[in-house]
Structures are given as structure tokens and as C-alpha cells.
Amino acid sequence: MKKIIALGILALSIAGTASAQVKPEDQIRYRQAGYSFMSWNMGKIKGSLEGQYNDQQVQAAANAIAAIAGSGMSVLYGPGTEKNIGNIKTRVKPEFFDPANAQDVGKIATEFNAAATSLAKAAAEGDKAAVQKAFGETGAGCKACHDKYRAD
Amino acid sequence: MKKIIALGILALSIAGTASAQVKPEDQIRYRQAGYSFMSWNMGKIKGSLEGQYNDQQVQAAANAIAAIAGSGMSVLYGPGTEKNIGNIKTRVKPEFFDPANAQDVGKIATEFNAAATSLAKAAAEGDKAAVQKAFGETGAGCKACHDKYRAD
């Protein structure tokens, strides 16, 4: 768990220098793009788990999810991104930005990253049972954040 | 070159089974999400090359670009995705879907994937000069497609 938290802090520090130039509306766009693209790839893995297992497709999809999850998206929640900006809508709840929840948000993000990394590892090893388990954990990570911090 | 083409064909076959269930408007959304997220990560690498080089940020960004590029996005250009669908706008040109251009489109995609893979490899090795070179080639791959197949 210490290692996971350290990774989370590392991810934040990796990302820390990058966002200054990105406008708030673009931060919202980019974070939504990341989640949307992960969603497509989760769908492909789901299809493979429920139908005929396509090893290479699962690997490619899991790599995309893990790499997006590990790309330092926390910087895309900068000041000004807590509400709609013109046509750019966001469903993030104010609670997400409450410093009292920072630790909880960080924990969810770190566990999500860890699950996505496990998913990519299981996929690379072609271990369908492990993929199934890590897929469930990754999906649970999505849901944990949506349930608490995303408006319907 | 044979290997690159083989990889391209492989990428197509990996992706081939996955798109049947994805609605055309979602195919457009997902492909735009992928390009948008790659664009953010290209920007981070550019910032690192032009300013203070952040090894871990470049690695994370290059991994995201390579994994998205390698995720089989060609299936996101299915029937019905050649034009706007309601509010979902696309700038793809009809020429992109012309069978006469299939080989050219495949070549651009395959070379782009190869450049993105080189970028991730160079980043993993911490070789800034190689990152610079592969970053240029990756950007050239974006531009090659935009110039020919994307409307302004």
C-alpha cells in the first residue's frame, strides 16, 4: 500500500509541471477524451471475456487503458475546471475538489491505476482468469469515482 | 518495411472483430477522443523537449501515444462514420474512405504506429536525442494524414 501511495505521489509529481499551459476548457476536453477512449477499450475487453477471447486485442486494449491511466491525468483537474465552460460541459461534482476529499480521491485514482497496470500485465501474459479479475477491479475503480464524484 | 506492413495488417485484424457493436456516432467520438488524448501527450513531450526535460513525464506521455496508436483505431472508421451524425461532427474527407486510397491510408497509419512505438522506446531508454527524432516522425505522421484526409 505504501508503494501504491508512492506511485500516486510520483504520478502527481510527473504531471505537475505539464498543465500550466493547458487552458481549463482543454483540460476538461482532454480528461473526457482519456475516459472516453478507456471506455471503448474496456468495452473491447468485455466483449472478449464474454465471447471469443482475442488475446492480441485484449493486450492492445489493456495497454491503452493502463497507459492512459498512468499518463498523469490529475493535472487535468486544475483551477477553473470544476464547472462548465461555455459549451464544454463537465459532470464532476464539487466534492471532487474539496481538500477534505483529496486523500480519498487520491486513493481511488491510485487503486484504479494499480488495477489498470494489473490488467495490462495479465493481458500480456495471456492469463484470461487474471484478466477477468483485473478487469473487474479496473471497472470497480471507474465506478468508485463515478459514484462519489460524478453527477448523473 | 515488410515487417511494418505485417504489423499494420495485424493491427487491422486485431481490431477487426471489435467494432460491430459500436454505433457510428460512438466510433467518431472514440476516434476523436484518441487523437485528442494523443495531442495532449504530444504537447507534454514538446514542452519537455523545448524546456526542462522530464524523463518520467515523457515516458508516460509516449506510452500513452504508442498504446493509443496501437489500439486498433482503424475499426473506428466504419460505415456511416464518413459524415456528421447529428451533433457529432467529423472533419474526415471522403477521400479517406476511397478504396483507391486504402493502401496510402494504411501506409500512413502503419508508419505513424511505427514512429509512436519508436517514441515510446526512446523515452523508456531516456535517450533525449532519439526522443526528439521519433517525436518529429510521430508529428509528421499526424500531419501526413491531416494534410491529405482531414478538412480544415
Side-chain angles (χ1 to χ4, degrees):
Chain A
M1 191 56 175
K2 264 191 188 160
K3 197 180 166 193
I4 290 179
I5 291 170
L7 278 172
I9 292 167
L10 178 66
L12 287 172
S13 70
I14 289 173
T17 54
S19 65
Q21 318 90 317
V22 179
K23 288 186 294 186
E25 54 269 44
D26 290 334
Q27 291 181 40
I28 296 175
R29 277 199 193 100
Y30 288 142
R31 74 195 187 204
Q32 290 177 344
Y35 298 125
S36 176
F37 205 77
M38 286 196 278
S39 159
W40 174 52
N41 284 283
M42 288 293 280
K44 287 187 286 182
I45 297 173
K46 185 168 185 280
S48 220
L49 287 170
E50 292 176 353
Q52 180 154 9
Y53 192 79
N54 183 328
D55 193 58
Q56 288 177 314
Q57 185 179 81
V58 170
Q59 278 186 44
N63 282 344
I65 294 163
I68 292 171
S71 67
M73 291 180 68
S74 59
V75 299
L76 299 175
Y77 290 88
T81 70
E82 68 283 359
K83 56 183 190 317
N84 300 340
I85 303 175
N87 290 330
I88 310 297
K89 311 284 183 195
T90 176
R91 286 192 282 168
V92 69
K93 286 185 183 171
E95 290 85 338
F96 182 90
F97 297 93
D98 185 338
N101 292 325
Q103 198 170 358
D104 185 51
V105 169
K107 183 170 174 287
I108 290 174
T110 303
E111 288 177 358
F112 172 68
N113 275 359
T117 302
S118 297
L119 180 60
K121 185 169 174 288
E125 290 166 354
D127 182 342
K128 189 180 168 181
V131 166
Q132 180 89 57
K133 182 170 178 290
F135 177 78
E137 290 165 355
T138 304
C142 301
K143 189 174 183 304
C145 196
H146 295 171
D147 284 353
K148 282 190 173 175
Y149 299 112
R150 190 179 73 167
D152 293 329
Chain B
M1 191 56 175
K2 265 191 189 161
K3 198 181 165 192
I4 290 178
I5 291 170
L7 279 172
I9 292 166
L10 178 66
L12 287 172
S13 71
I14 290 174
T17 53
S19 64
Q21 316 92 317
V22 179
K23 288 187 293 185
E25 53 269 44
D26 290 333
Q27 291 180 41
I28 296 175
R29 276 200 194 98
Y30 289 142
R31 73 193 187 203
Q32 290 177 344
Y35 298 125
S36 176
F37 205 76
M38 287 197 278
S39 160
W40 175 52
N41 284 283
M42 287 293 281
K44 287 188 285 183
I45 296 173
K46 185 168 185 279
S48 220
L49 288 170
E50 292 176 353
Q52 181 153 8
Y53 192 79
N54 183 328
D55 194 57
Q56 289 177 313
Q57 185 181 80
V58 170
Q59 277 185 45
N63 283 343
I65 294 164
I68 292 171
S71 67
M73 292 180 69
S74 59
V75 299
L76 299 175
Y77 291 88
T81 70
E82 68 283 0
K83 55 183 189 319
N84 301 339
I85 302 174
N87 290 330
I88 311 298
K89 311 285 184 196
T90 175
R91 286 193 282 167
V92 69
K93 287 186 184 171
E95 289 86 337
F96 181 90
F97 297 92
D98 185 338
N101 293 323
Q103 197 170 359
D104 185 52
V105 169
K107 184 172 175 285
I108 290 174
T110 302
E111 288 177 358
F112 172 68
N113 276 359
T117 302
S118 297
L119 180 60
K121 186 169 174 288
E125 289 167 354
D127 182 342
K128 189 181 168 182
V131 166
Q132 180 89 57
K133 182 171 178 290
F135 177 79
E137 290 165 354
T138 305
C142 302
K143 190 174 184 303
C145 199
H146 294 172
D147 284 352
K148 281 189 175 176
Y149 298 113
R150 190 179 74 167
D152 295 330

